[in-house]
Amino acid sequence: MPHSVTSDAPTPPNGTDSTMTDATAQNGDSQAASARNPDDVAMAGADTDASNGEGSKEVKLEELFADVDSDDEFPSSRPAEQKTPSSSSLETPSSPENNGPSLSASDPELMRTFYQRLFPWRQLFQWLNHSPTPTNDFGHREFAFTLQNDAYLRYQSFPTADLLRKDVLRLLPSRFEIGPVYSTNPRDRKTLRNSAAFKPLSKELCFDIDLTDYDEIRTCCDKANICDSCWRFMVMAIKVLDAALREDFGFRHILWVYSGRRGAHAWVCDKKARTMDDQKRRAIAGYLEVVKGSSQGGKKVNLRRPLHPHLSRSLDILAPHFQTDVLAEQDPWASEERSDKLLALLPDKNLNASLGAKWASSPERASTAKWADIDVVAKAGGLAKDQADAPRRLLEAKQDIVLEYTYPRLDIEVSKKLNHLLKSPFVVHPGTGRVCVPIDTRDPDALDAFSPLGVPTVQGLLAEIDRWSGGGGGGDDENDGDEAGAEVKQEAGAKSMQDWEKTSLKPYVEYFRSFVVGLMKDERDPRVKREREEDGSMEF
Amino acid sequence: MLRSDYNRIDPKRRANLDHRKKQFADPAYKDTTYPHRLNFYAVPPTADITLEQFEQWAIDRLRVLAELEACSFRNKSPAETATHMEPLIKKYLPLESNSSSSTQLSAQRQKDHYSHFILRLAFASTEDLRRRFSRVETMLFRLRFNEENSKERKDFINNLSLDWEEVSTEERAEYAAQLAALAPFRKGVQEEESWFKVDWERVPDLVETRRVFLKAGKAYVPSKEQTSMVVAEFTQRLERALELTARALPRLDEDDRLTPILDHLSKNFVTPDASYSSSTSSVPGADISARNIDALSASFPLCMQSLHKSLRRDSHLKHFGRLQYTLFLKGIGLNLEECLVFWRSSFNKITDDQFNKDYRYNVRHSYGDVGGDSNRRGGGYSPFSCQKILTEHPPGPGETHGCPYRHFNLDNLTALLQGVGISDGAVLRGVKEDKENQKFHMACNRVFEYVHKKELKRAKDEGVMTSAQLETIVHPNEYFKRSYLLKNLGKETTKTEDIKMEG
């Protein structure tokens, strides 16, 4: 494996390799290599329609030989009934489309096709590299693979996106994570005489929010399960954090990514954010963390008054959500046992007594009504008479409650450390098969509309490629020859079509691309300026 | 061309101009006056002092610093530290303000200045020493800064020429609402409050505690928080200077007069070791094994009992809970194999595979069985002290580690105490008071004394335990050890022999 990264130029699949390996592996290799060329799609298309024999000559020979086998390994546009199960296909499922969701999302062959055809390698590279030509930002970046046997392979690094892709295709990890940029190449860390010379230099500032942390306050689901109604907690969290990071800290490049099952990650990619040391990360984490304490700790939000501007802004953002998404949707205090929890958070004993009596007489009163009751009863003289500040304390307690039920609950350790690893965008969650797609936060409506349950799954995406019929321009599935011809022409017209463009992954990759372009633009400008300055100083 | 002229210059000035000869020429001292009581120690001293002074001044300063460090280990509040340190500072390192009519001003300040630089030399050699030195020096600086009167403080700050931008009146008007939320509302004073604007990166601690207003990466700092900024600046400069000193140290042009003194100084600055060596914590003769933990847990401190209960209840603990508990168990003498057995059998809802994949490594790492070189050589982490449990990683949602006296609210704490059989009203009231006064140690020791009332009395009567063995417990493992020994006091007389030996 080490020599696979040392070679810089993409090597075409060589003849000896292909004859020695079986048809499947050869097929994979040739695709890996061909994907580096602009005619990637044409060849990939040819591969799927292998029997047609329009692909590269080398492939064609093998394909003709091992027609049935290749069908087993690759999602094909061929109708399913044509398949005759060969001996090998007894253990390898024949087609993702065919077997649908029953196929495990981390199935090696599924992964291979996904990484080969759908994963946006180029965008990922540019995102981490901050420039079109390879730099240390990418080359010294740590990647960590979770392999099929659950082994965890750390300190991988790659000079270019192609080499990363190649290694991923070789190892077929069920997912991979991204770590920091180190001072030297992570692969060389053992060769250094002085271990202090190997240290993390920069990484995006990351946040991780997980709906399991909301188990105490969500009523619809628990553990790893989610639904659209508890996803609203995530929407609130994203809005609050996004606002704080942009307005308060002045960050501009914030990428939100669905984590594949029950949470979301944020990657703050501004150069200033990337180069922060642990102390500064801790400072931001502390600034943003509000809901503290274990389940034994009682009231989790205890804020100084007057409220810090960040908190009053958050409260403004969250208050409407509290009414609709929490009170109406989650109905967190419906049962008596649960409404006792609410009473425990209120400060006034008198008030609690009258509220408790009131709610006991009308069981299953909705949370919205109960929340309103607090003020009604308080106005009607339910507060303790001897304390002049009782109304103020009640108001503050109510604010704290709103925050406890809406404010983002961060897995704060992720944000505090420079060398923490986080799952890469666009990998597949092995449990659900969903792709970790970026969430568009530019427009609040798009954020509101995002549904984790509607995120494309790897199985679904591969089926979409199979069903794709040239986007209106090309021929249909029967007309294989024409389609391949059309694609060659398209390529000649300098417009090749990536596989992801044929699927519902398209909007996500496009959003990611626009994000990366924005980031690279900001990154480039100061660099040009600095180079000019350096040039100036050299001229004497 | 010009250069050749150097040698023709008036011979009297030559020494100052020829850089090669400069270091051998008579030193042109920068005139050191000390207009302020506080000092950022930017300029090294240049005057002559005797060797005795060199050593004595350094030792005096070291005394003060060591005591300051001890205060922080004992978790004293700033106010307590100040009162505790006052006599000491007066004796060893007095430093009076300009307003005092002392004639010693200059001498005091000179001693302060010189001793700082001597210690800088002594503590620049290793990363660890540098970090400790800058920490305690910062504490000393903060202490002095806080007791400075406001006028002199202001003069001092102005003199530092820090590049802080004052917030303009217009800007203050624009963000009036936000700024008002940060400065505690005091009538009249509000107008005079001056605000500074800096990059937020320069005041991370203020950001962390939300004491500043942030806008687009700029922090608006109220004047009362300037201490923090000045102190941060002090630390930053000191760290940079120490780094430079460390690099220059090998080139120290020195005979054998100073080096031994410096060596000696840095060696005497030993840490009161917060870590806990397993040899002192293990209990002779006890059956420490996985299957016996349930029985032993009666002797655990409340934090560990609470973890044990959660573990039995949920068949799971979150990361920091596992870490805290594993290290404690390691501390009481549970070996790695038994510990793995213990965790495996406790996590009875998961498969072997999952256990091996997700948990085994962490347990082995804690024991130093795997991991980096230093981890393996050091035998893993030390068991957490109360100090560490109290101050680091407060438990978050779903987590059960930490110190119950600190991290539980009163109702839950009371319930927990009653759950382990402590329902005596006086004790519970005492715990409540301790908790309110943030004396978590006291609460824990109070419970310990109550639980072991009988045994303690007997131990005292029989003189089995020395008073040293009965002082305040500041480590969970110490709690267990004492508790276990007390409970087994009368069971086997041979054991008491061992105890005596250890005491």
Side-chain angles (χ1 to χ4, degrees):
Chain A
M1 91 184 63
H3 48 259
S4 68
V5 282
T6 48
S7 69
D8 264 334
T11 44
N14 62 38
T16 48
D17 255 9
S18 58
T19 49
M20 279 162 71
T21 52
D22 66 327
T24 329
Q26 194 279 332
N27 200 346
D29 274 352
S30 73
Q31 267 200 328
S34 67
R36 294 183 199 106
N37 306 325
D39 57 347
D40 179 18
V41 186
M43 289 176 74
D47 278 354
T48 30
D49 312 321
S51 61
N52 209 291
E54 289 285 328
S56 78
K57 281 164 199 91
E58 208 179 311
V59 173
K60 178 183 149 197
L61 247 181
E62 292 291 334
E63 295 273 83
L64 283 173
F65 246 93
D67 197 3
V68 184
D69 278 352
S70 80
D71 246 353
D72 293 334
E73 309 303 338
F74 283 94
S76 137
S77 53
R78 202 188 313 278
E81 58 268 23
Q82 270 193 13
K83 279 196 188 88
T84 45
S86 73
S87 58
S88 68
S89 70
L90 283 175
E91 58 263 21
T92 36
S94 49
S95 155
E97 182 187 8
N98 212 16
N99 294 31
S102 67
L103 191 59
S104 153
S106 57
D107 178 84
E109 291 314 317
L110 209 60
M111 289 279 88
R112 185 196 303 281
T113 322
F114 174 75
Y115 287 131
Q116 226 164 28
R117 305 185 59 174
L118 290 167
F119 197 93
W121 295 105
R122 211 160 68 91
Q123 286 77 12
L124 184 87
F125 166 76
Q126 291 178 338
W127 172 51
L128 296 174
N129 192 55
H130 317 111
S131 139
T133 49
T135 63
N136 282 347
D137 276 6
F138 189 81
H140 290 180
R141 172 80 75 156
E142 174 183 356
F143 291 88
F145 296 159
T146 306
L147 301 184
Q148 296 287 340
N149 60 2
D150 278 324
Y152 192 56
L153 207 57
R154 280 198 63 182
Y155 298 117
Q156 305 298 302
S157 66
F158 305 92
T160 67
D162 288 336
L163 292 166
L164 168 64
R165 180 182 192 268
K166 197 174 162 190
D167 225 30
V168 166
L169 284 174
R170 189 174 61 81
L171 295 165
L172 295 178
S174 58
R175 58 179 188 268
F176 62 89
E177 300 188 317
I178 297 176
V181 178
Y182 284 93
S183 49
T184 53
N185 191 329
R187 286 184 189 269
D188 297 340
R189 70 191 187 286
K190 291 257 167 81
T191 63
L192 295 170
R193 193 176 305 160
N194 176 4
S195 60
F198 180 69
K199 54 171 190 269
L201 294 180
S202 72
K203 201 199 69 177
E204 289 75 9
L205 171 66
C206 293
F207 294 93
D208 181 6
I209 314 169
D210 209 325
L211 277 175
T212 38
D213 290 330
Y214 289 74
D215 278 359
E216 299 158 338
I217 54 170
R218 58 177 180 163
T219 54
C220 49
C221 312
D222 67 345
K223 306 270 165 51
N225 305 312
I226 61 162
C227 63
D228 279 328
S229 113
C230 51
W231 183 257
R232 300 301 299 165
F233 284 117
M234 204 55 78
V235 173
M236 301 174 216
I238 292 175
K239 283 184 181 169
V240 167
L241 288 188
D242 210 61
L245 291 168
R246 282 177 205 277
E247 291 172 22
D248 296 355
F249 292 96
F251 295 134
R252 298 173 54 203
H253 302 284
I254 305 167
L255 182 70
W256 286 92
V257 182
Y258 173 52
S259 72
R261 193 197 281 264
R262 58 188 175 196
H265 300 154
W267 297 78
V268 185
C269 308
D270 296 63
K271 190 169 188 107
K272 255 186 149 176
R274 296 202 311 269
T275 49
M276 287 190 301
D277 56 22
D278 282 352
Q279 190 199 15
K280 295 193 186 100
R281 283 167 205 260
R282 222 174 23 244
I284 295 190
Y287 182 81
L288 295 173
E289 192 184 24
V290 169
V291 184
K292 288 180 187 156
S294 62
S295 49
Q296 304 294 322
K299 198 154 166 275
K300 289 199 181 54
V301 177
N302 295 292
L303 296 167
R304 263 198 323 270
R305 294 302 192 284
L307 280 181
H308 185 274
H310 160 59
L311 296 171
S312 27
R313 178 195 49 217
S314 301
L315 208 54
D316 290 344
I317 298 175
L318 292 169
H321 285 285
F322 181 70
Q323 283 296 338
T324 55
D325 297 332
V326 178
L327 290 184
E329 189 75 28
Q330 293 282 338
D331 201 4
W333 306 305
S335 68
E336 191 175 345
E337 183 194 339
R338 281 175 166 276
S339 63
D340 283 348
K341 260 187 180 170
L342 169 61
L343 291 181
L345 297 173
L346 292 171
D348 195 296
K349 293 253 167 12
N350 284 13
L351 180 69
N352 286 0
S354 26
L355 283 174
K358 187 179 166 104
W359 294 341
S361 63
S362 59
E364 304 304 306
R365 192 172 163 80
S367 298
T368 317
K370 284 181 176 164
W371 183 249
D373 286 345
I374 298 174
D375 277 345
V376 173
V377 175
K379 282 231 177 67
L383 289 173
K385 300 287 186 297
D386 49 342
Q387 289 159 323
D389 62 346
R392 184 182 55 79
R393 280 179 44 218
L394 180 64
L395 176 70
E396 289 175 0
K398 281 182 70 183
Q399 288 176 337
D400 284 350
I401 293 170
V402 171
L403 287 173
E404 181 161 340
Y405 277 80
T406 52
Y407 192 89
R409 300 183 166 211
L410 300 165
D411 180 356
I412 211 67
E413 296 306 316
V414 176
S415 316
K416 283 179 179 169
K417 282 275 196 290
L418 178 58
N419 58 4
H420 211 287
L421 294 137
L422 196 64
K423 191 160 57 161
S424 162
F426 287 105
V427 304
V428 173
H429 190 286
T432 59
R434 294 191 198 120
V435 179
C436 302
V437 292
I439 303 170
D440 191 344
T441 50
R442 287 171 301 189
D443 159 21
D445 293 337
L447 173 60
D448 280 328
F450 182 89
S451 163
L453 305 174
V455 165
T457 62
V458 62
Q459 296 96 331
L461 286 171
L462 296 179
E464 281 174 36
I465 301 186
D466 285 355
R467 274 200 302 274
W468 190 77
S469 59
D476 58 346
D477 276 358
E478 300 342 299
N479 211 347
D480 286 336
D482 279 5
E483 194 192 335
E487 280 181 37
V488 172
K489 259 178 243 152
Q490 263 188 337
E491 180 217 320
K495 193 198 174 297
S496 67
M497 195 159 187
Q498 306 273 329
D499 271 338
W500 54 259
E501 289 181 271
K502 304 170 188 169
T503 67
S504 50
L505 201 58
K506 186 176 177 193
Y508 300 107
V509 178
E510 277 173 352
Y511 168 66
F512 187 52
R513 184 161 64 186
S514 70
F515 176 84
V516 172
V517 165
L519 175 64
M520 287 208 295
K521 189 160 166 285
D522 261 17
E523 206 76 19
R524 193 169 57 236
D525 292 344
R527 195 171 298 167
V528 170
K529 220 182 283 165
R530 198 168 56 234
E531 270 166 19
R532 240 182 252 137
E533 279 166 16
E534 275 166 14
D535 284 349
S537 66
M538 301 277 271
E539 282 173 0
F540 62 85
Chain B
M1 277 186 287
L2 268 173
R3 195 157 293 167
S4 60
D5 285 352
Y6 276 129
N7 290 335
R8 294 205 194 124
I9 272 181
D10 175 9
K12 274 183 194 161
R13 292 184 59 199
R14 196 181 295 154
N16 286 342
L17 290 167
D18 187 339
H19 66 95
R20 278 167 304 180
K21 291 180 186 162
K22 197 173 172 182
Q23 57 179 319
F24 303 113
D26 284 341
Y29 290 131
K30 184 177 163 67
D31 196 18
T32 35
T33 55
Y34 302 99
H36 304 287
R37 173 171 174 261
L38 295 166
N39 195 336
F40 253 45
Y41 310 109
V43 185
T46 43
D48 291 332
I49 53 170
T50 66
L51 261 184
E52 285 72 40
Q53 277 174 324
F54 184 89
E55 188 162 13
Q56 193 52 51
W57 289 0
I59 289 174
D60 285 351
R61 190 182 190 90
L62 197 54
R63 282 214 174 105
V64 172
L65 294 183
E67 195 57 34
L68 259 180
E69 195 179 37
C71 282
S72 89
F73 282 137
R74 277 179 237 134
N75 222 2
K76 291 204 172 186
S77 69
E80 283 170 335
T81 310
T83 32
H84 179 83
M85 292 303 296
E86 203 191 331
L88 228 87
I89 291 185
K90 210 166 236 160
K91 184 167 175 203
Y92 292 113
L93 208 58
L95 203 59
E96 279 162 286
S97 64
N98 288 344
S99 51
S100 76
S101 50
S102 168
T103 50
Q104 298 289 310
L105 272 191
S106 181
Q108 285 174 359
R109 287 173 190 182
Q110 191 193 22
K111 180 176 172 185
D112 176 57
H113 184 207
Y114 280 57
S115 60
H116 171 89
F117 272 94
I118 297 167
L119 292 191
R120 215 189 252 193
L121 274 182
F123 294 120
S125 54
T126 70
E127 167 95 43
D128 191 41
L129 282 174
R130 285 199 294 275
R131 199 170 333 115
R132 278 179 65 204
F133 181 65
S134 81
R135 212 174 76 93
V136 287
E137 275 289 337
T138 306
M139 281 161 61
L140 181 63
F141 181 82
R142 191 197 303 270
L143 188 74
R144 286 170 172 173
F145 190 83
N146 283 337
E147 56 191 37
E148 189 80 326
N149 70 44
S150 60
K151 189 190 160 298
E152 284 184 43
R153 197 190 300 188
K154 204 165 184 176
D155 282 349
F156 175 68
I157 293 174
N158 289 340
N159 201 40
L160 285 174
S161 64
L162 303 165
D163 51 341
W164 298 348
E165 188 187 336
E166 194 150 354
V167 177
S168 65
T169 331
E170 299 88 70
E171 228 177 333
R172 256 166 48 195
E174 190 184 344
Y175 300 124
Q178 285 93 327
L179 296 182
L182 283 161
F185 210 68
R186 285 171 299 171
K187 284 192 188 82
V189 187
Q190 191 64 32
E191 301 306 311
E192 291 163 37
E193 185 91 73
S194 62
W195 291 78
F196 291 96
K197 192 160 87 170
V198 294
D199 284 339
W200 76 265
E201 282 97 340
R202 290 187 49 187
V203 284
D205 53 331
L206 295 181
V207 171
E208 188 170 356
T209 48
R210 288 195 287 266
R211 284 172 193 284
V212 290
F213 168 57
L214 284 181
K215 186 81 197 167
K218 293 278 182 197
Y220 292 67
V221 187
S223 54
K224 72 182 157 67
E225 301 292 358
Q226 278 174 8
T227 313
S228 156
M229 285 173 72
V230 176
V231 172
E233 188 73 26
F234 176 83
T235 318
Q236 204 185 347
R237 289 192 191 185
L238 178 59
E239 274 166 8
R240 209 176 323 138
L242 278 170
E243 199 78 29
L244 290 175
T245 315
R247 254 181 269 167
L249 213 51
R251 278 176 284 151
L252 183 65
D253 182 21
E254 221 285 297
D255 50 46
D256 47 3
R257 292 176 310 155
L258 297 187
T259 320
I261 300 179
L262 294 176
D263 245 21
H264 184 70
L265 284 172
S266 65
K267 284 216 184 79
N268 278 359
F269 195 38
V270 282
T271 339
D273 199 1
S275 72
Y276 202 79
S277 67
S278 53
S279 61
T280 59
S281 66
S282 63
V283 187
D287 173 22
I288 311 275
S289 62
R291 64 189 155 72
N292 205 21
I293 297 292
D294 277 321
L296 291 172
S297 72
S299 290
F300 288 0
L302 196 61
C303 48
M304 302 302 167
Q305 284 200 40
S306 153
L307 279 171
H308 192 78
K309 284 175 89 163
S310 319
L311 177 64
R312 289 289 176 245
R313 190 187 60 222
D314 306 335
S315 299
H316 189 264
L317 285 180
K318 289 207 164 197
H319 173 78
F320 283 114
R322 291 199 305 272
L323 189 63
Q324 181 176 330
Y325 201 31
T326 306
L327 293 173
F328 172 77
L329 293 176
K330 174 176 146 186
I332 70 171
L334 192 71
N335 64 28
L336 175 58
E337 288 72 38
E338 285 292 320
C339 194
L340 283 168
V341 171
F342 171 73
W343 284 113
R344 179 64 200 101
S345 56
S346 305
F347 283 20
N348 51 29
K349 286 188 187 149
I350 57 169
T351 61
D352 273 342
D353 210 30
Q354 204 182 347
F355 179 80
N356 289 344
K357 196 174 78 192
D358 293 342
Y359 305 108
R360 178 181 289 272
Y361 187 90
N362 271 340
V363 176
R364 291 178 60 201
H365 196 266
S366 309
Y367 273 77
D369 193 41
V370 286
D373 197 33
S374 60
N375 186 49
R376 285 205 305 273
R377 226 178 313 132
Y381 311 130
S382 326
F384 289 169
S385 62
C386 291
Q387 154 96 1
K388 197 170 165 81
I389 293 172
L390 284 169
T391 52
E392 288 177 21
H393 297 298
E399 293 185 313
T400 42
H401 66 273
C403 172
Y405 299 106
R406 171 165 198 163
H407 297 119
F408 280 30
N409 71 7
L410 194 62
D411 294 341
N412 287 329
L413 176 60
T414 314
L416 178 66
L417 282 170
Q418 283 163 347
V420 298
I422 295 159
S423 39
D424 186 279
V427 174
L428 291 176
R429 265 196 307 281
V431 167
K432 174 168 180 267
E433 274 167 31
D434 290 337
K435 182 176 167 61
E436 275 160 7
N437 297 329
Q438 308 236 317
K439 306 266 186 210
F440 309 112
H441 287 130
M442 297 305 292
C444 193
N445 280 281
R446 185 186 298 277
V447 169
F448 179 85
E449 275 163 30
Y450 172 73
V451 173
H452 302 91
K453 207 164 38 189
K454 271 200 307 250
E455 292 88 344
L456 276 172
K457 189 166 178 297
R458 209 179 122 201
K460 262 185 208 147
D461 290 346
E462 295 176 10
V464 181
M465 287 179 132
T466 60
S467 60
Q469 279 176 310
L470 297 171
E471 68 190 11
T472 318
I473 298 170
V474 291
H475 199 296
N477 285 87
E478 181 65 28
Y479 185 106
F480 169 76
K481 181 186 169 190
R482 237 181 259 182
S483 168
Y484 186 85
L485 292 178
L486 283 171
K487 283 188 182 160
N488 293 291
L489 209 53
K491 288 192 184 152
E492 293 165 75
T493 36
T494 48
K495 286 288 164 317
T496 46
E497 290 305 307
D498 290 33
I499 296 162
K500 269 181 188 158
M501 302 277 285
E502 274 215 57

